[in-house]
Amino acid sequence: MTGRVLGVDVGAVRVGVALSDPAGVLATPLVTLDRDETTWSDLDQLTDLVAEHEVVEVVVGLPRTLAGREGPAARAALGYADDLREVFDERGVSGVPVTMADERLSTVSAGRMLSDRGVKGRAQRRVIDQAAAVEILQTWLDARRAAP
């Protein structure tokens, strides 16, 4: 399947979003959304991004432990993906699959990369979620292309 894919890094405070090119080869940062567990406006914003960019699939990072287990953060990401599917159904974009992708150490890797580039402290907090979303999506895109 070709088309743009959205990568999502779900955090407790923010949601990082990345977008692939139409060929599904390269992931780039798109936006950081504020989580809003009262109005779920972040889910509405993701739905709008799916429509705006004609996204064919959404990949949500699944933060497993180093041992491969699913802890509280993984359960939260799975719940977020379920909520996103529900909003898609309500808003008429139910044909867009929401896929989970292993994201072990994506935020650590993103933080290291940003530090290496001189982005530190407060400036890093706002973009680290986007960088983690890029890491999640790029890893998923590469694995998809490598699969027979």
Side-chain angles (χ1 to χ4, degrees):
M1 167 178 23
T2 59
R4 291 186 183 271
V5 179
L6 209 63
V8 178
D9 177 53
V10 180
V13 177
R14 290 176 295 276
V15 178
V17 184
L19 183 67
S20 78
D21 64 311
V25 174
L26 184 64
T28 57
L30 184 61
V31 68
T32 300
L33 306 174
D34 291 320
R35 281 285 300 270
D36 186 345
E37 294 187 50
T38 304
T39 67
W40 299 104
S41 62
D42 49 315
L43 295 171
D44 289 331
Q45 291 172 15
L46 280 171
T47 305
D48 292 342
L49 290 171
V50 166
E52 177 185 343
H53 295 284
E54 299 177 347
V55 168
V56 299
E57 188 163 359
V58 176
V59 177
V60 177
L62 181 62
R64 290 190 170 116
T65 66
L66 290 177
R69 294 189 187 96
E70 292 179 5
R75 287 190 292 279
L78 288 164
Y80 192 87
D82 287 342
D83 292 339
L84 187 57
R85 287 182 193 99
E86 190 174 310
V87 170
F88 280 5
D89 287 344
E90 290 170 3
R91 301 250 329 252
V93 291
S94 56
V96 177
V98 177
T99 306
M100 303 305 294
D102 189 350
E103 68 146 300
R104 276 177 267 195
L105 299 178
S106 64
T107 302
V108 172
S109 176
R112 199 170 290 137
M113 181 267 305
L114 289 170
S115 289
D116 290 348
R117 293 184 180 175
V119 180
K120 301 203 187 301
R122 291 185 103 106
Q124 190 181 85
R125 269 187 248 148
R126 195 70 194 161
V127 295
I128 195 163
D129 300 297
Q130 285 180 43
V134 168
E135 180 87 17
I136 291 162
L137 182 55
Q138 190 63 59
T139 300
W140 184 86
L141 293 169
D142 293 346
R144 184 178 72 169
R145 274 197 325 279

